[in-house]
């Protein structure tokens, strides 16, 4: 997603899914192998393909009732003072403020017991509060890394939730004999979800989806004459749905409320808006492809 989120995940869908995603937004499919959207961790190298002429975002592109929603990047206050849980029922984290600084007030990691196969373990992390370090992000979201040597994971701030990455690696807390994977969405716990809000959440997601499709179409139009960049953004968009399904499949009561999908769709819409406004961050391989394409164009002139 987002330049791209969870880049450590491998492709799990065939190119036909990418084509279907593009047909849904009225864009001709590109001939490229599908890859999932990447990780929260920023690309170490690459370049930014700056936007050319700004285009207006397309109009109605879905059957969702009500106006499209363009979410704003959530501030840290959206997570302060709340206990949020991985997948809504596992590891838990609580944030607080020390003056203007955000910090981790409490962290509990739940995972697999390394000493007793098949059993779970639970570790209350000592030494709290833990310091947070702001990290650069091209997603349009606020990003932090936790100063916890045994498991220094990175997360983006969502609306009342965080999206965590640890470069695809679980943390081994050897002293506690526990192996815990922090990656995924940490948010509202299952018992906090109001059953009456289920339909409201699904409706909100549909409206954000409308914005997402419109913004993607505008981004595609902006780069449609630049093959390498166009193919890159097409691959990311085509892989978003399968990536979202993979992240959310284990979230508590997800089929009933779609809470995880709503949060990730909002984040994706914010990321596309950031790309549209400031340009597309390209990984090294795509940078080389784009440079070669520009060289060919110059030679033809």
């Amino acid at each position: 997603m987002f330049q791209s989120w969870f880049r450590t995940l491998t492709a799990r869908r065939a190119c036909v899914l990418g084509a279907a995603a593009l047909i849904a937004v009225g864009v001709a499919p590109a001939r490229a192998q599908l890859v999932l959207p990447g990780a929260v961790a920023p690309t170490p190298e690459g370049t930014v393909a700056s936007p050319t002429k700004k285009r207006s975002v397309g109009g109605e592109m879905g059957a969702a009732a009500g106006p499209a929603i363009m979410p704003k990047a959530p501030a840290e206050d959206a997570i302060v003072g709340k206990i949020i849980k991985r997948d809504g029922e596992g590891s838990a984290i609580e944030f607080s403020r020390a003056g203007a600084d955000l910090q981790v007030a409490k962290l509990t990691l739940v995972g697999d017991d390394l000493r007793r196969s098949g059993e779970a373990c639970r570790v209350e992390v000592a030494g709290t509060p833990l310091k947070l370090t702001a990290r650069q992000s091209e997603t349009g979201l606020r990003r932090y890394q936790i100063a916890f040597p045994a498991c220094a994971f990175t997360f983006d701030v969502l609306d009342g939730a965080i999206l965590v990455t640890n470069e695809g690696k679980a943390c081994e807390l050897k002293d506690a004999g526990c192996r815990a994977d922090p990656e995924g969405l940490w948010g509202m716990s299952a018992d906090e979800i109001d059953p009456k809000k289920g339909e409201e959440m699904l409706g909100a997601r549909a409206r954000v989806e409308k914005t997402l499709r419109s913004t993607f179409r505008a981004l595609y139009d902006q780069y449609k004459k630049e093959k390498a960049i166009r193919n890159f953004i097409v691959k990311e968009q085509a892989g978003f749905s399968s990536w979202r399904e993979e992240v959310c499949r284990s979230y508590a009561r997800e089929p009933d409320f779609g809470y995880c999908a709503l949060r990730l769709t909002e984040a994706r819409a914010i990321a596309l808006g950031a790309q549209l406004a400031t340009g597309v961050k390209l990984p090294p391989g795509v940078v080389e492809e784009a440079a070669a394409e520009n060289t060919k164009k110059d030679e033809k002139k």
Side-chain angles (χ1 to χ4, degrees):
M1 223 181 182
F2 315 85
Q3 284 359 352
S4 29
W5 274 17
F6 284 21
R7 203 173 296 279
T8 53
L9 292 176
T10 55
R12 287 175 169 81
R13 297 291 188 274
C15 294
V16 64
L17 289 182
L22 297 176
I23 291 171
V25 295
V27 178
R31 295 186 179 180
Q33 185 179 1
L34 173 65
V35 295
L36 289 179
V40 173
T43 304
E45 297 179 21
T47 188
V48 173
S50 299
T52 52
K53 183 179 178 182
K54 279 196 173 182
R55 300 173 184 268
S56 59
V57 174
E60 203 75 7
M61 296 187 71
I69 300 173
M70 187 62 209
K72 295 182 180 179
E76 291 85 348
D77 287 344
I79 57 174
V80 171
K82 299 178 181 178
I83 299 175
I84 54 181
K85 298 182 178 181
R86 181 177 183 266
D87 287 338
E89 57 186 0
S91 299
I93 193 169
E94 184 175 355
F95 297 94
S96 62
R97 283 195 180 278
D101 296 329
L102 185 69
Q103 61 185 13
V104 176
K106 187 176 181 180
L107 176 61
T108 303
L109 295 174
V110 177
D112 299 320
D113 196 316
L114 296 174
R115 299 161 183 167
R116 299 178 182 85
S117 180
E119 294 189 19
C121 57
R122 181 185 181 89
V123 179
E124 300 285 345
V125 175
T128 53
L130 299 174
K131 182 181 177 182
L132 292 171
T133 303
R135 297 297 186 196
Q136 184 179 1
S137 170
E138 294 81 36
T139 66
L141 297 165
R142 292 170 172 83
R143 176 174 296 168
Y144 290 92
Q145 184 174 36
I146 292 181
F148 176 37
C151 195
F153 58 81
T154 302
F155 66 87
D156 281 2
V157 178
L158 308 186
D159 185 5
I162 59 174
L163 182 62
V164 172
T165 185
N166 195 36
E167 298 181 351
K169 301 175 183 177
C171 300
E172 290 197 5
L173 310 173
K174 295 182 179 179
D175 292 342
C178 189
R179 184 177 185 272
D181 184 2
E183 273 193 353
L185 184 76
W186 299 47
M188 187 181 295
S189 65
D191 56 4
E192 289 181 303
I193 299 177
D194 184 350
K196 297 178 182 179
K197 297 287 185 180
E199 188 174 343
E200 183 180 323
M201 283 187 186
L202 293 175
R205 174 182 161 189
R207 293 192 294 275
V208 177
E209 290 268 16
K210 187 187 300 185
T211 298
L212 188 154
R213 292 192 296 269
S214 298
T215 309
F216 169 72
R217 182 53 192 259
L219 186 66
Y220 180 91
D221 287 347
Q222 186 166 274
Y223 292 106
K224 64 183 178 182
K225 294 183 179 180
E226 300 180 55
K227 182 180 177 181
I229 302 170
R230 181 193 69 207
N231 287 350
F232 173 71
I233 62 177
V234 163
K235 288 178 183 180
E236 284 208 324
Q237 184 66 9
F240 170 67
S241 295
S242 55
W243 170 78
R244 179 178 59 193
E245 179 183 352
E246 182 169 346
V247 174
C248 294
R249 67 177 52 162
S250 57
Y251 204 93
R253 305 183 72 182
E254 183 66 11
D256 297 326
F257 301 102
Y259 171 81
C260 176
L262 172 59
R263 295 285 88 95
L264 296 192
T265 305
E266 289 171 340
R268 176 63 177 162
I270 293 168
L272 283 177
Q275 287 182 322
L276 190 62
T278 63
V280 177
K281 178 75 173 182
L282 301 176
V286 181
V287 171
E288 294 169 3
E289 184 182 349
E293 181 183 336
N294 290 333
T295 299
K296 289 181 180 179
K297 288 181 180 179
D298 293 338
E299 290 174 350
K300 291 179 180 180
K301 291 181 181 179

